[in-house]
Every structure is written in C-alpha cells, then in structure tokens.
C-alpha cells in the first residue's frame, strides 16, 4: 500500500515524463484555440504573437481562500483591460489563461504543467500562496530551457527570492521576513516582548514563523508559544484548542500567519475565551475578507476588531493622494472587473477596493512596463534583461521600484493598518494604540 | 431418532473442526500481519526519515525553513505517516506537522539514531516513531511517526476476510454434512423398516428392496431374513 501511494505521488510527474520520453514535439500539443498564438509568433516564442501576449495564472478561485485569487485577478484585470483598450503593448493585447488550484499544491503543479506544456503561455503571473508556489518552482528549473518566468507571485516567502529557484521568479511585494520583522520591532518598541505565533501548518506558516523567530532573536527573545491549524480551515471552525495553547504562555501579542477564514476564526475565539492581546496578521491574510467575516460574526464586532493590526505590502487604497491609488480606483470603477465565471463556483461578493486587488493592479502595471521594454520583437530570452533595466521606476506609489541580478524584489515597504469604524486605516502611532 | 442423534454428533464435529480452524488461522493471521506490517512500517519510516534527513542538509544550511516544511508536508501524504518533525542540534523544533500544537510528549524528546519507540499521544492515538540524524546529528534530527491504528485496522480487515471465508466454507460444509448424513442414513432407515416388517410378519420378507443392496444394510437385511427363516424352521410346533 505504501509503495502504491508513493507511485501515485510520482504519477503527478508522469505527463511530462511521458512527453519527454516519447520525444514529443511540444508544437504538436498546442490546443486548437491557441494555435494562432504560437504559430503567429514573430519571435518564435510560444505565448506571444503579433496581436497578443498570453499569460498563465493559477490561483485560488475556490475554497476558503478564494477571495485572494479573485481579488488579485480583478485588480490585474482592471489594468490589463485598460491597456488593451488603449491598443495593448506595441499592438499586442494581454490575455490571462486562468486556472483554479484552490490554494492546494498538487492542482497548482498540474495547472502549471498545463500552462507551460499545453497552453504554452509567454510567462506565469499572479500565482497565489506559498505552499503552491514552492511546489511549482522546481518545475520552472526543470524547464529552464523554455525560459518561462514567474512574475509577481502573491506570497512573501523566501524560496522564490533565493537560490536555487530565485532566478526563475520576479517579486514585487516585500517579503514575509520584512513584514514579520516590522511587526516584531514595533511590538517590542511598545514593550510587548512576549510574542506568540498562530500559523498555518505548511510552508507559508513556516515562512512567517521563521521570520518572527529571526526578528525576535535580534531582540534577544524567542517565540513565547505557538499553535497551528490546517490549511483550508473555515471560519466556522472552532479554535478553542489553539487559543488555550497560547493562553498558557500568557503572550503580550500574537502574530498570525494564516488565511482570512482561519485568522478570523482565531480572533473571534481568542476574544471570546479571554485572550485580549493585539493580534497581527500578514498581508496575505486578505484584510477585507477577514474584516468582513468578523463584522458579520456579531452585531457588536468591535471587541473582535479593535486589537487587530495588519501589515500590508501596498499603501492604503483609501489614500487618494497617491497617483497609482487614484488610477486603481478609477479603473476598478470604470471596468468593474470580474473573475472568470467558469472558475468561481461558490458565492463571492467582490469588494469595490481591497489591498489584494490593489496589489494585483500594481503587479499588472509593472508587468505592462516590462512587456513594453521587450520592444517590437518580444521574446522570453529578453524578459530578464527587461526586468533588470527597471531602475528607480515610478510605479505611482511613493516608493520607487528597482530590479537587478541581486535584487529580484521590486518593493521593500511595509505598511501597518488597524480597524477604525469598520474599515482598515493606516496605523501611525503604535504606542498610542498598543502600549 | 438414531439418525438425528447421528446427525447432531456429525454437526457438532463439523462445528468443532471449523472452530479450531478459524481460531488457529486467526491467531496465525494476527501474528503474521502484525509482525510483518510493524516491521514494514518501521523499515519504511526509517527510510523516509533518512531520505528527509539527507535532503534537509542542503536546505538547513542554505535555504529558508519554508522549503523544509514544504518537503516534510509532501511526505505526510504517504499513508500511515501521521507526523514528522525536525529538530536542530539543540532540540529546537525547526519544522513540524502537528496541529493544533506540538504535544508535550514530543517536546520531552524523541528516539536517538534509528531506534523505534512506541508513543501514545493523547487525542492523537498510538504511534511508532523513528529518528534519523541530519549530518551525523550535528545539524539535528528528523523524526517520523507512523500510526499504529492503521496496523490494527489492517489486522481487523484481514481477520474479517478470513472469518468471512471460513463462514462461507462452514455453511457449505453444514449443508454437505446434512446431505452426506442423510445419504448414509437412508439405507439404515430402509433396514430398520425391513426389520420391523420382518418382526411383525408383514408382507413378503423375501421381496424387500433392501435385500438387493450390496452394502452393509443389504447384508444385514439378508442376515435378518436368514435368522428369521432359521428361527421359523427350528421352532417347536405349537398347538394347531
């Protein structure tokens, strides 16, 4: 039985092993609807033709974390739709081929194989999640001769920022290490040194846990206590066990590294069970979805939300003094982008604006600039040089974007937000709020 | 009546025989499955722990712990493995798969080297845990816990299948025994009826079908007839 399971696991790799073993020519495997894209390529590269760039995206459009994939896709779509209506990039429209992975690694791997081998996309864009991306990265290395890069995944984990896979991805957002370091530094600064961690039991949670551990070590502290939950946990789940584990260590703050449904459930149960300490969440949590769940949980949700502090990797979408935010709000309202209908099978009400869709918008905006820099004969081989040519680039937010061989992450900024009057606002005074 | 008693004894014999067969084969089955599965589990666990330990060296020295977590998460998909944890040389937990937290029994320490230990974790069950050192132990150790309840489940399943098979054979055996007993009892019944008729002087004793049989019943019937004839010939004449 054990052997069979191992063989089943290995079976995931069978399609491309089979293709390689058979000496199959990839051009023979192009679906009919994409023949035009591959065949009409002026550069010989699949995924780009004289009229189109084809991008591939695998993200969560189902399950408890579907809000992340949907919002990220909406933000990016607003930008791409606008660019396409303006004539595209050097006459080429941008189209996204999208698949749902439900925030699970195996479907993400399968989707990536389909995108690379069957759809033959020009590049991969907007993947969501650490456990998914960490499993996809080896595929990019395996097929490195194809030159398929992963652009701007929605994760702050380290594997796509460092060897051996860092060369196959470009990141825009700050890392989880930067987010957790900022949270720890600010908590310590206001005298909260006993910090516990509540995290998702997978690569994402471990990445955040690792960041908290390293940041605390710089202050001569260790993680006071830890509790975990399984990926895919819903808001209806009970977090009593986790809360009781953390209550035993009497923390002065808890840093949560999870998805919005689980983190909202934890915040709810923590308050209900008397764990009244600041609870920090990382940008990945999807702040608006988290807040929506808590606000709907009780008529008086203020006790659940007043101790929240969420780190963000993009500025507030409420700050209309920022040019990119004004553009984002304008295009979101003008085009009202929707996630692909065929992928969104569970009810979901999109937010007019959100940190996640703003990040998707900024990702798309920067990608458009990269594609522009490829010139009239775009090729995958030119992608890395195009990205590295971005120096001190004004994306429309206050921080400038730069890339280089030793700098595969465009932005470094981390922002902190708290809930006021049922919405997230920028936190400027940690001492006043949490000391 | 005698036939029924004979049948009961035969049936009792069949019951006893199948009972002994069922009991002995079940004991043998439990022993065999338990021993082999336990050995296989421990061997597989050691192999998995060593594989993770070997793969962990590069990750521990050069990469982020999320890569390590991603590695052990993949092994957790193998049936029977319920938990994996990796500690550094000081015993600090670097990656693990426990939810909602690391049990106290685990925090107190795990097996050293390739030794297997049995663990009972409240709320989780019973496990066999093996360890494998990373970089000869100077970089920590990998620990893999296999769920022993799966072994018990497989034993139950094996016994269930065996009992099912024996039950089927038993039912067939009972019907066969009834058929054979009836087959054997039929000439006895004919012989009994003949003996009664002979004693009562009913019918023609020399034309009974049982006299034609070439088995023991036929021989006995002919003997009864002979004895009956002799008895009639040698008897003193009674009063007219």
């Amino acid at each position: 039985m054990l052997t069979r399971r191992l063989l089943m696991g290995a079976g995931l790799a069978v399609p491309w092993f089979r293709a390689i073993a058979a000496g199959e020519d990839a051009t023979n495997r192009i679906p009919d609807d994409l023949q035009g894209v591959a065949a009409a390529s002026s550069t010989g590269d699949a995924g780009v033709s004289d009229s189109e760039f084809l991008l591939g995206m695998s993200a969560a459009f189902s399950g408890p974390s579907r809000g992340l994939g949907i919002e990220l896709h909406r933000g990016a779509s607003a930008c791409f739709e606008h660019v396409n209506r303006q004539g595209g990039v050097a006459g080429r429209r941008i189209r996204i081929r999208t698949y749902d992975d439900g925030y699970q690694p195996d479907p993400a791997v399968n989707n990536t194989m389909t995108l690379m081998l069957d759809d033959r996309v020009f590049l991969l864009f907007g993947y969501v999640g650490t456990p998914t991306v960490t499993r996809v990265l080896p595929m990019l290395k395996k097929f490195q001769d194809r030159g398929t890069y992963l652009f701007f995944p929605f994760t702050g984990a380290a594997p796509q920022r460092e060897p051996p896979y860092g060369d196959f991805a470009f990141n825009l957002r700050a890392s989880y290490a930067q987010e957790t370091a900022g949270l720890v530094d600010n908590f310590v600064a206001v005298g909260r040194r006993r910090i516990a961690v509540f995290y998702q039991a997978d690569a994402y949670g471990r990445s955040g846990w690792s960041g908290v551990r390293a940041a605390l070590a710089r202050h001569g502290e260790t993680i006071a206590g830890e509790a975990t939950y399984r990926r895919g946990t819903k808001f209806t789940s009970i977090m009593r066990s986790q809360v009781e584990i953390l209550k035993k260590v009497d923390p002065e703050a808890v840093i949560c590294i999870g998805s919005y449904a689980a983190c909202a459930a934890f915040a709810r149960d923590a308050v209900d069970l008397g764990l009244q300490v600041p609870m920090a969440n990382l940008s990945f949590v999807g702040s608006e979805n988290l807040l929506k769940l808590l606000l709907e949980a009780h008529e008086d949700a203020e006790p659940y939300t007043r101790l929240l502090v969420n780190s963000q990797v993009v500025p507030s979408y409420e700050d209309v003094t920022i040019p990119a935010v004004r553009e984002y709000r304008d295009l979101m309202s003008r085009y009202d982008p929707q996630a692909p209908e065929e992928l969104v099978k569970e009810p979901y009400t999109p937010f007019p604006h959100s940190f996640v869709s703003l990040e998707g918008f900024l990702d798309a905006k920067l990608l458009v600039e990269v594609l522009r820099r490829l010139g009239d004969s775009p090729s995958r081989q030119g992608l890395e040089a195009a990205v590295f040519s971005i120096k001190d680039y004004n994306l429309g937010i206050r921080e400038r974007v730069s890339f280089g061989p030793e700098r595969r992450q465009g932005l470094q900024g981390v922002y902190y937000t708290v809930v006021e009057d049922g919405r997230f606002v920028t936190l400027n005074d940690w001492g006043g709020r949490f000391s | 009546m005698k036939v029924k008693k004979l049948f009961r004894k035969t049936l009792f014999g069949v019951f006893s025989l199948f009972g002994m067969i069922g009991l002995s084969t079940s004991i043998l089955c439990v022993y065999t499955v338990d021993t082999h599965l336990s050995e296989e589990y421990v061997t597989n666990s050691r192999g998995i722990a060593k594989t993770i330990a070997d793969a962990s060296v590069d990750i521990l020295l050069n990469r982020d712990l999320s890569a390590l977590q991603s590695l052990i998460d993949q092994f957790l998909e193998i049936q029977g493995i319920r938990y994996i944890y990796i500690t550094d040389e000081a015993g600090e937990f670097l990656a693990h798969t426990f939810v909602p937290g690391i049990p106290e029994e685990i925090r107190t320490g795990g097996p050293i080297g390739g030794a297997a230990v049995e663990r009972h974790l409240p709320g989780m069950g019973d496990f066999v845990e093996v360890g494998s050192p990373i970089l000869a132990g100077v970089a920590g150790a990998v620990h893999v816990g296999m769920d022993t309840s799966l072994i018990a489940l497989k034993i139950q399943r094996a016994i269930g299948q065996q009992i099912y098979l024996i039950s089927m054979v038993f039912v067939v055996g009972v019907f066969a025994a009834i058929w054979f007993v009836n087959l054997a009892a039929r000439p006895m019944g004919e012989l009994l009826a003949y003996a009664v008729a002979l004693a009562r002087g009913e019918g023609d004793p020399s034309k009974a079908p049982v006299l034609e049989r070439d088995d023991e019943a036929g021989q006995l019937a002919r003997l009864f007839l002979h004895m009956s004839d002799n008895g009639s010939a040698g008897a003193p004449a009674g009063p007219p």
Side-chain angles (χ1 to χ4, degrees):
Chain A
M1 181 61 79
L2 190 67
T3 309
R4 194 188 315 156
R5 287 296 299 262
L6 283 168
L7 289 172
M8 283 173 65
L12 284 171
V14 163
W16 51 263
F17 276 136
R18 197 186 301 140
I20 292 167
E24 199 171 336
D25 184 349
T27 54
N28 292 334
R29 307 177 66 233
I30 306 170
D32 292 343
D33 63 324
L34 295 175
Q35 287 284 357
V37 173
S41 170
S42 59
T43 63
D45 274 353
V48 57
S49 69
D50 290 337
S51 61
E52 187 176 81
F53 283 109
L54 181 65
L55 318 182
M57 178 179 185
S58 176
F61 292 94
S62 62
S65 299
R66 64 188 183 283
L68 302 177
I70 293 172
E71 293 298 336
L72 195 76
H73 186 277
R74 291 181 66 237
S77 296
C79 178
F80 290 146
E81 178 67 20
H82 183 66
V83 170
N84 289 340
R85 292 195 187 201
Q86 304 297 311
V89 178
R92 295 179 176 87
R93 292 171 55 82
I94 300 170
R95 186 161 66 92
I96 315 178
R97 173 59 63 95
T98 314
Y99 292 105
D100 174 32
D101 59 37
Y103 189 37
Q104 296 297 333
D106 287 345
V109 169
N110 289 333
N111 291 346
T112 305
M113 281 201 288
T114 304
L115 287 165
M116 291 174 70
L117 302 181
D118 295 338
D119 297 340
R120 304 185 73 211
V121 297
F122 187 59
L123 54 85
L124 303 173
F125 172 81
Y127 273 47
V128 170
T130 306
T132 46
V133 168
T134 51
R135 292 280 291 277
V136 164
L137 290 171
M139 292 188 63
L140 302 182
K141 188 173 175 67
K142 168 67 185 170
F143 292 108
Q144 59 185 309
D145 57 321
R146 292 168 182 255
T148 307
Y149 290 97
L150 173 61
F151 275 81
F152 313 141
F154 186 69
T155 163
Q160 75 274 11
R161 289 172 164 79
E162 64 182 22
Y165 302 121
D167 289 347
F168 307 103
F170 297 101
N171 306 279
L172 180 59
R173 65 189 345 258
S175 67
Y176 292 145
Q178 290 170 304
E179 286 190 65
T180 51
L183 289 167
V184 167
D185 291 347
N186 279 299
F187 277 133
V188 170
V190 297
R192 295 182 180 271
R193 303 181 72 89
R194 286 185 59 76
I195 296 175
V197 184
F198 167 75
Y199 63 102
Q200 189 165 286
D202 66 2
Y204 163 47
R206 185 60 56 196
S207 186
W209 176 92
S210 183
V212 173
R213 175 172 171 257
L216 282 169
R218 287 193 287 274
H219 293 282
E221 299 285 348
T222 57
I223 292 174
E226 62 174 72
T228 59
Y229 75 91
R230 292 202 192 287
R231 183 174 62 239
T233 295
K234 296 178 178 175
F235 181 61
T236 49
S237 302
I238 306 298
M239 293 287 180
R240 172 179 285 274
S241 301
Q242 286 83 348
V243 172
E244 285 175 350
I245 287 171
L246 295 189
K247 275 182 78 175
K248 285 179 187 167
V249 300
D250 191 24
E252 293 170 325
V254 178
I255 295 180
C256 305
I257 303 118
S259 57
Y260 58 83
C263 288
F266 176 76
R268 175 201 63 208
D269 291 350
V271 170
D272 289 347
L273 295 169
L275 184 60
Q276 304 271 2
V277 295
M279 275 172 275
N281 295 280
L282 303 193
S283 58
F284 183 84
V285 80
S287 296
E288 293 75 18
N289 282 297
L290 172 90
L291 184 58
K292 185 182 178 194
L293 288 173
L294 289 173
L295 292 176
E296 290 173 354
H298 201 276
E299 281 183 13
D300 179 18
E302 197 271 339
Y304 297 139
T305 61
R306 69 184 161 83
L307 291 168
L308 292 180
V309 51
N310 286 19
S311 60
Q312 313 291 352
V313 291
V314 294
S316 171
Y317 52 82
E318 303 280 4
D319 189 350
V320 292
T321 64
I322 299 172
V325 170
R326 285 200 303 276
E327 185 184 8
Y328 154 78
R329 295 175 71 99
D330 173 39
L331 298 184
M332 287 294 282
S333 57
R334 196 189 306 177
Y335 300 120
D336 188 24
Q338 302 296 320
E341 276 182 27
E342 67 276 14
L343 298 182
V344 184
K345 297 185 172 65
E346 300 159 83
Y348 181 82
T349 307
F351 296 96
H353 307 107
S354 68
F355 288 102
V356 179
S357 64
L358 174 57
E359 184 173 340
F361 175 81
L362 294 175
D363 289 343
K365 192 167 184 226
L366 186 60
L367 184 65
V368 168
E369 178 59 24
V370 171
L371 296 177
R372 280 201 181 107
R373 294 185 184 214
L374 288 173
D376 291 334
S377 300
S379 69
R380 290 177 183 169
Q381 286 70 31
L383 274 169
E384 191 172 63
V387 176
F388 290 164
S389 73
I390 292 175
K391 304 286 184 195
D392 207 24
Y393 178 71
N394 184 4
L395 191 58
I397 57 176
R398 295 193 176 104
E399 184 182 356
R400 298 285 177 133
V401 181
S402 292
F403 281 93
E406 302 302 320
R407 185 188 171 102
R408 304 185 80 91
Q409 176 184 307
L411 295 172
Q412 314 299 324
V414 179
Y415 312 82
Y416 304 99
T417 54
V418 291
V419 178
E420 295 280 352
D421 300 325
R423 65 192 181 101
F424 278 98
V425 297
T426 303
L427 172 64
N428 295 314
D429 180 13
W430 277 76
R433 182 89 178 187
F434 294 122
S435 61
Chain B
M1 181 61 77
K2 282 183 180 176
V3 172
K4 284 183 179 173
K5 276 186 181 174
L6 186 64
F7 172 70
R8 278 207 300 269
K9 282 179 183 172
T10 307
L11 198 60
F12 178 74
V14 171
F15 265 118
S16 303
L17 184 64
F18 275 99
M20 280 196 297
I21 292 171
L23 187 66
S24 56
T25 53
S26 293
I27 290 170
L28 184 65
C29 178
V30 168
Y31 174 76
T32 307
V33 173
D34 187 25
T35 307
H36 287 189
L37 271 182
S38 299
E39 284 174 4
E40 187 186 334
Y41 267 36
V42 170
T43 305
N44 286 338
S45 301
R46 282 203 184 102
I48 290 165
K50 187 173 185 320
T51 302
I52 297 172
D54 292 344
S56 299
V57 176
D58 181 51
I59 297 173
L60 278 173
L61 297 179
N62 300 310
R63 296 178 60 194
D64 182 76
L65 290 178
S66 61
L68 199 60
Q69 184 72 43
S70 185
L71 175 73
I72 66 174
D73 285 349
Q74 290 178 60
F75 281 93
L76 202 62
E77 293 168 6
I78 295 172
Q79 189 186 33
I81 295 185
R82 279 293 301 278
Y83 64 82
I84 303 171
Y85 63 96
I86 298 177
T87 52
D88 66 8
E89 64 277 18
E92 186 185 3
F93 288 79
L94 299 180
H96 67 81
T97 59
F98 294 108
V99 174
I102 304 168
E104 271 311 306
E105 292 78 2
I106 297 288
R107 285 189 186 279
T108 56
I112 298 168
V117 296
E118 291 185 4
R119 284 193 186 277
H120 174 73
L121 303 179
M124 290 182 69
D126 295 313
F127 305 90
V128 174
E129 183 181 314
V130 296
S132 183
I134 302 171
L135 214 58
V138 297
V142 175
H143 302 263
V144 175
M146 302 288 278
D147 193 347
T148 55
S149 67
L150 204 64
I151 296 176
L153 190 69
K154 290 194 175 188
I155 289 172
Q156 286 172 10
R157 194 177 299 159
I159 291 175
Q161 287 170 342
Q162 196 151 352
I163 287 174
Y164 174 75
L165 179 68
I166 289 173
S167 300
M168 294 303 290
V169 174
F170 174 74
V171 170
V172 172
V174 166
F175 280 107
I178 292 170
W179 186 74
F180 277 120
V181 165
N182 281 340
L183 204 64
R186 195 179 303 145
M188 296 295 289
E190 289 178 21
L191 179 64
L192 182 64
Y194 175 73
V196 170
L198 192 64
R200 288 177 179 168
E202 295 171 349
D204 184 357
S206 63
K207 291 185 178 172
V210 70
L211 293 171
E212 303 300 319
R213 300 184 69 95
D214 58 355
D215 54 13
E216 289 78 357
Q219 288 174 356
L220 274 171
R222 288 191 289 277
L223 184 61
F224 287 156
L225 180 62
H226 178 72
M227 289 167 65
S228 171
D229 289 345
N230 286 345
S232 301

